[in-house]
Amino acid sequence: DGGITQSPKYLFRKEGQNVTLSCEQNLNHDAMYWYRQDPGQGLRLIYYSQIVNDFQKGDIAEGYSVSREKKESFPLTVTSAQKNPTAFYLCASSRGWNQPQHFGDGTRLSIL
Amino acid sequence: KQEVTQIPAALSVPEGENLVLNCSFTDSAIYNLQWFRQDPGKGLTSLLLIQSSQREQTSGRLNASLDKSSGRSTLYIAASQPGDSATYLCAVPRGGADGLTFGKGTHLIIQP
């Protein structure tokens, strides 16, 4: 079945550590996105990519980095510079600018 | 900057009732508006995408309307069921394929 796979489902980060969240899609979508969800807040855009080897910062990119080396993969690294990383992270993809976005099941990141 | 507001924040109704969820946005220059459902601890499921040229979009017991000029959308759920219990989110494009701006959602509980 086509879809978006995020892994791991739960992730724990130690102080000073970088961690990488995986997002893979087999929908053949060009555009991919990373959002962060905090309790009581709407989803906020971290990074997005409209095409391979190209990506742009969203509203809250500080402390995060991404790569887009393959169409189907858009990993997100939460660096030690992100001082409040505890959140639910959601990856999405879409065929294009006026098409629905489809989401993975999310990764919940916590601090040890 | 686009802002999306959803009212009410929470709603609890008996099974079988018809109900309306509201979404408003500040910038009417949107291409489309998307409604999502989120179950606890899960990702988002796309329910309906309504294009700016449309006034309504229907899927089963769900009907979404869009009034761009007034900056409003409604999601109508007919004959509600306990399985409809979830958080409902609306979102509009930030611009092109630049990701979405989300409301904070309406937490819906359908009492059996």
Side-chain angles (χ1 to χ4, degrees), chain A residues 50-112:
Chain A
Q50 298 179 14
I51 198 168
V52 174
N53 292 323
D54 187 51
F55 49 83
Q56 280 79 40
K57 295 180 180 180
D59 296 324
I60 55 166
E62 185 175 352
Y64 300 97
S65 66
V66 294
S67 63
R68 187 85 188 277
E69 298 176 1
K70 298 186 297 183
K71 185 175 184 177
E72 58 270 23
S73 179
F74 191 39
L76 174 73
T77 296
V78 184
T79 74
S80 57
Q82 173 48 246
K83 297 307 179 187
N84 185 23
T86 298
F88 190 48
Y89 291 86
L90 290 159
C91 178
S93 71
S94 71
R95 267 188 294 159
W97 65 276
N98 204 21
Q99 300 297 319
Q101 287 195 16
H102 299 275
F103 282 76
D105 282 339
T107 293
R108 189 166 300 280
L109 175 62
S110 301
I111 300 300
L112 285 178

Side-chain angles (χ1 to χ4, degrees), chain B residues 4 12-13 16 25 46 48 63 77 80 83 92 102 107-108:
Chain B
V4 179
S12 181
V13 301
F25 45 94
S46 179
L48 291 164
N63 176 277
I77 302 177
S80 58
V92 297
F102 284 84
H107 180 56
L108 176 64

Side-chain angles (χ1 to χ4, degrees), chain B residues 4 10 13 18-19 27 34 38 41-42 60 64 66 72 79 81-82 92:
Chain B
V4 179
V13 301
N18 302 326
L19 54 99
D27 185 350
Q34 197 167 357
Q38 185 175 31
K42 299 289 188 180
L66 176 63
R72 293 182 181 182
Q81 303 171 358
V92 297

Side-chain angles (χ1 to χ4, degrees), chain B residues 86-100:
Chain B
T87 296
Y88 290 80
L89 299 158
C90 70
V92 297
R94 295 166 78 246
D98 299 350
L100 299 174

